[in-house]
């Protein structure tokens, strides 16, 4: 069942933040956060079916809520957006992200997810006694709009038990008011079935950038639960804990949450791997292990770990000459090489004239800078491109006069080429589909069309160069 849902909007810039609320809440829970982001981002806060101004709108299963949100996104015509799900709506956001990854959402470009104390894709771990108490708290009304005796105190207790600090009176009053005006059938549907729905296998592992936010004092869906149940679904996920905060983070700590949203939005980068290729990686043409390895290569590692800042700058400059890349399409080779060296991973052998890989790189980069200063004055990273090219060409030709530098530079070129060629962005540009033959737990399928230039329907297409 699909319905266009009521929204509260502010701002105009893209990508937009699509904000969804907790069980018993409404779009109004985001008012303080939206006020802090005013003029910076377009914010679209949505009332989910059964809550807020959508209290009379049906459709309370996770799939039905996702359907209505998708319809609303299409009606809004958002070209680029980030989904922000709080508590209950975190599960809905994850389902929508899977639909987008599978090419089934038919909206604009979903650029990332922010999940605030989210209900996980798996069944939410609500103790039986707590679930029973919550079900008893708000039984169906005998007449619409006429709360029962004790509803006000029960709504106040529900809100206060989910916060770890006292909210401003007007914010708490608004939250209680939202609980009282919700559809009781929606409340019961979530507790009896929605929260128990298991979407974990269907959501799988997603490559979208994701920020998971947990309240330090959240006793229901805190950091431990998020690390165990939510973070594993995201290859490019990060968990942040908000100090001195419970479950109602948008109302308890709006300034801190707004700052986290700003940081996340400013860190979004153009996608190097197109959606068509991501769908191929996530299809049953690709074995689970191959998929896991490929998706793990997409996020940029945090570095450096092995190198000093000066060595890292030199490494970046060398790699830019060894593997020139198009502006805006750069794969961070230096960060990946640093991560590889820090993990002690390599190709399993080395030249006898060289020390271990990490030490060889550090000595090689330091020697390169010494040569640069001796010949030109500044370090290698500050040289003109022509001087960099000439110096590297001379090092490649040093064998046998200086075998260590020549062999090290040979290793660097091999490492750089391997990292670049194995990145899914490079594979996507080439339309590479050679590992799309199934594997463990997936059907074993070969190629049927084997003529020169033949492309099967499931194969990703090579990207057209600009």
């Amino acid at each position: 069942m699909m319905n266009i849902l009521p929204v509260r909007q502010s701002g105009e810039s893209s990508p937009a933040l699509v904000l969804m609320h907790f069980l018993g809440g409404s779009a109004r829970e985001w008012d303080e956060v939206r006020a802090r982001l005013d003029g910076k981002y377009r914010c679209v806060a949505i009332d989910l079916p059964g809550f807020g101004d959508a209290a009379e709108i049906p459709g309370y299963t996770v799939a039905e809520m996702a359907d209505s949100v998708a319809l609303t996104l299409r009606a809004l015509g958002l070209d680029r957006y980030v989904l922000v799900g709080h508590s209950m709506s975190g599960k809905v956001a994850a389902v929508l992200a899977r639909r987008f990854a599978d090419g089934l959402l038919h909206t604009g470009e979903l650029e990332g997810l922010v999940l605030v104390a989210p209900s996980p894709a798996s069944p939410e771990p609500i103790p039986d006694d707590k679930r029973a108490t919550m079900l008893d708290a708000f039984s169906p009304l005998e007449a619409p709009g006429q709360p029962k005796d004790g509803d006000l105190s029960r709504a106040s207790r529900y809100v206060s038990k989910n916060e770890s600090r006292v909210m401003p009176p007007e914010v708490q009053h608004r939250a209680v008011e939202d609980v009282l005006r919700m559809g009781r059938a929606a409340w019961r549907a979530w507790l009896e079935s929605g929260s128990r729905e298991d979407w974990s296998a269907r959501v799988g592992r997603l490559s979208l950038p994701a920020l998971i936010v947990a309240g330090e004092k959240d006793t229901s869906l805190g950091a431990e639960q998020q690390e165990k149940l939510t973070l594993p679904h995201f290859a490019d996920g990060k968990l942040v804990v908000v100090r001195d905060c419970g479950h109602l983070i948008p109302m308890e700590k709006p300034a801190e949450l707004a700052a986290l949203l700003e940081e996340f939005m400013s860190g979004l980068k153009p996608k190097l791997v197109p959606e068509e290729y991501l769908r191929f990686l996530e299809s049953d043409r690709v074995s689970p292990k191959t998929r896991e390895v490929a998706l793990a290569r997409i996020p940029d590692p945090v570095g450096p770990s092995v190198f000093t800042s000066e060595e890292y700058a030199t490494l970046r400059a060398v790699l830019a000459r060894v593997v020139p890349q198009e502006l805006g399409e750069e794969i961070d080779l230096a960060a990946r090489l640093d991560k590889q060296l820090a993990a002690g991973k390599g190709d399993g052998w080395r030249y006898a004239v060289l020390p271990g890989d990490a030490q060889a790189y550090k000595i090689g980069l330091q020697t390169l800078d010494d040569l640069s200063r001796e010949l030109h004055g500044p370090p290698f990273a500050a040289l003109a491109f022509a001087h960099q090219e000439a110096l590297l060409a001379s090092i490649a030709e040093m064998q046998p006069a200086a075998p260590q530098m020549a062999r090290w530079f040979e290793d660097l070129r091999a490492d750089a080429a391997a990292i670049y060629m194995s990145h899914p962005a490079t594979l996507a540009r080439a339309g590479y589909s050679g590992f799309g033959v199934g594997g463990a737990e997936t059907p074993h399928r070969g190629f049927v069309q084997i003529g020169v230039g033949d492309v099967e329907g499931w194969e990703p297409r090579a990207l057209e160069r600009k």
Side-chain angles (χ1 to χ4, degrees):
M1 183 177 298
M2 292 191 293
N3 295 275
I4 294 178
L5 301 170
V7 300
R8 295 165 71 87
Q9 298 193 65
S10 57
E12 297 180 353
S13 63
S14 182
L17 285 160
V18 177
L19 310 163
M20 297 180 289
H21 58 79
F22 77 113
L23 175 66
S26 80
R28 299 194 303 175
E29 78 164 69
W30 293 99
D31 284 0
E32 284 69 36
V33 174
R34 288 196 302 115
R36 286 165 171 81
L37 297 174
D38 191 32
K40 299 175 183 177
Y41 299 102
R42 181 179 181 183
C43 294
V44 181
I46 298 180
D47 282 325
L48 295 178
F51 302 95
D53 291 339
E56 302 303 319
I57 293 178
Y60 310 136
T61 68
V62 173
E64 288 172 332
M65 287 191 280
D67 288 343
S68 291
V69 172
L71 182 64
T72 304
L73 292 176
R74 288 195 287 273
L76 290 167
L78 301 178
D79 58 342
R80 300 166 58 220
Y81 61 95
V82 168
L83 286 175
V84 184
H86 177 207
S87 191
M88 172 184 73
S89 60
K91 188 189 289 273
V92 177
V95 170
L96 288 166
R98 167 47 61 193
R99 291 185 183 180
F100 177 80
D102 291 343
L104 302 175
L105 196 51
H106 308 304
T107 61
E109 190 78 4
L110 175 58
E111 306 231 335
L113 291 177
V114 179
L115 304 178
V116 183
S119 177
S122 57
E124 185 175 331
I126 303 175
D128 290 342
D129 57 343
K130 180 179 178 180
R131 190 187 302 272
T133 299
M134 293 176 71
L135 282 166
D136 289 342
F138 299 105
S139 56
L141 296 175
E142 295 174 0
Q146 295 183 10
K148 296 181 178 181
D149 291 343
D151 277 355
L152 178 58
S153 62
R154 285 189 288 270
S156 298
R157 284 198 301 274
Y158 172 65
V159 171
S160 62
K161 283 185 177 180
N162 277 294
E163 60 175 336
S164 70
R165 61 194 297 271
V166 177
M167 294 186 291
E170 66 276 10
V171 176
Q172 189 169 45
H173 174 77
R174 190 180 66 220
V176 171
E177 187 177 68
D178 280 339
V179 173
L180 291 174
R181 69 186 181 125
M182 70 181 174
R184 303 298 173 96
W187 171 271
R188 179 166 291 275
W190 175 257
L191 291 169
E192 289 182 339
S193 57
S195 62
R196 288 181 161 125
E197 291 185 31
D198 189 354
W199 287 81
S200 55
R202 285 171 285 182
V203 168
R205 190 161 169 85
L206 296 162
S207 59
L208 282 167
L211 174 65
I212 296 98
V213 183
E216 179 187 26
K217 297 182 179 181
D218 188 342
T219 58
S220 300
L221 292 168
E224 183 178 352
Q225 296 282 10
Q226 300 306 337
E227 187 171 13
K228 176 183 176 182
L229 300 175
T230 303
L231 195 57
H233 286 289
F234 300 98
D236 189 9
K238 176 183 178 183
L239 174 63
V240 173
V241 177
V242 179
R243 301 301 177 191
D244 189 30
C245 190
H247 188 66
L248 303 182
I249 301 173
M251 294 180 284
E252 292 183 64
K253 290 290 188 82
E256 289 83 346
L257 183 54
L260 288 172
L261 289 170
E262 282 194 70
E263 181 181 356
F264 180 79
M265 297 292 276
S266 65
L268 291 176
K269 299 178 181 179
K271 287 186 179 179
L272 293 179
V273 185
E275 287 302 322
E276 180 187 8
Y277 203 78
L278 289 174
R279 287 194 288 272
F280 163 63
L281 290 178
E282 292 166 349
S283 73
D284 63 3
R285 299 285 323 191
V286 179
S287 73
K289 186 60 179 178
T290 302
R291 180 185 306 116
E292 178 185 350
V293 171
L295 292 178
R297 291 174 178 165
I298 296 176
D300 285 338
V302 177
S305 298
V306 171
F307 301 109
T308 66
S309 58
E310 186 176 64
E311 292 165 352
Y312 203 50
T314 303
L315 178 63
R316 285 190 178 282
V318 174
L319 292 171
R321 304 276 62 78
V322 171
V323 185
Q325 300 186 64
E326 294 284 343
L327 184 65
E329 297 181 358
E330 301 97 330
I331 298 167
D332 193 338
L333 303 179
R336 287 165 173 80
L337 181 52
D338 178 81
K339 179 182 179 181
Q340 176 178 302
L341 293 171
K345 295 181 178 179
D347 48 20
W349 69 278
R350 62 181 172 84
Y351 286 108
V353 296
L354 294 179
D357 288 346
Q359 186 181 2
Y361 265 93
K362 290 176 75 69
I363 294 172
L365 293 169
Q366 292 163 8
T367 303
L368 181 59
D369 265 346
D370 290 343
L371 288 171
S372 177
R373 289 188 174 95
E374 180 182 332
L375 294 172
H376 302 288
F380 182 85
L383 292 182
F385 289 171
H387 287 160
Q388 289 180 343
E389 296 274 7
L391 182 51
L392 292 177
S394 69
I395 290 173
E397 297 168 0
M398 280 184 177
Q399 179 77 8
Q404 286 183 309
M405 280 300 287
R407 291 303 193 192
W408 166 73
F409 188 45
E410 182 182 335
D411 268 357
L412 180 146
R413 283 175 286 167
D415 287 340
I419 293 170
Y420 177 78
M421 292 303 299
S422 64
H423 193 283
T426 307
L427 301 177
R429 290 166 194 157
Y432 179 75
S433 57
F435 48 64
V437 291
E441 302 177 17
T442 65
H444 289 258
R445 299 169 177 170
F447 290 80
V448 177
Q449 304 296 328
I450 57 175
V452 176
D454 287 349
V455 178
E456 300 191 22
W458 57 267
E459 290 187 78
R461 303 302 195 267
L463 297 183
E464 293 184 6
R465 304 306 297 168
K466 297 177 182 178

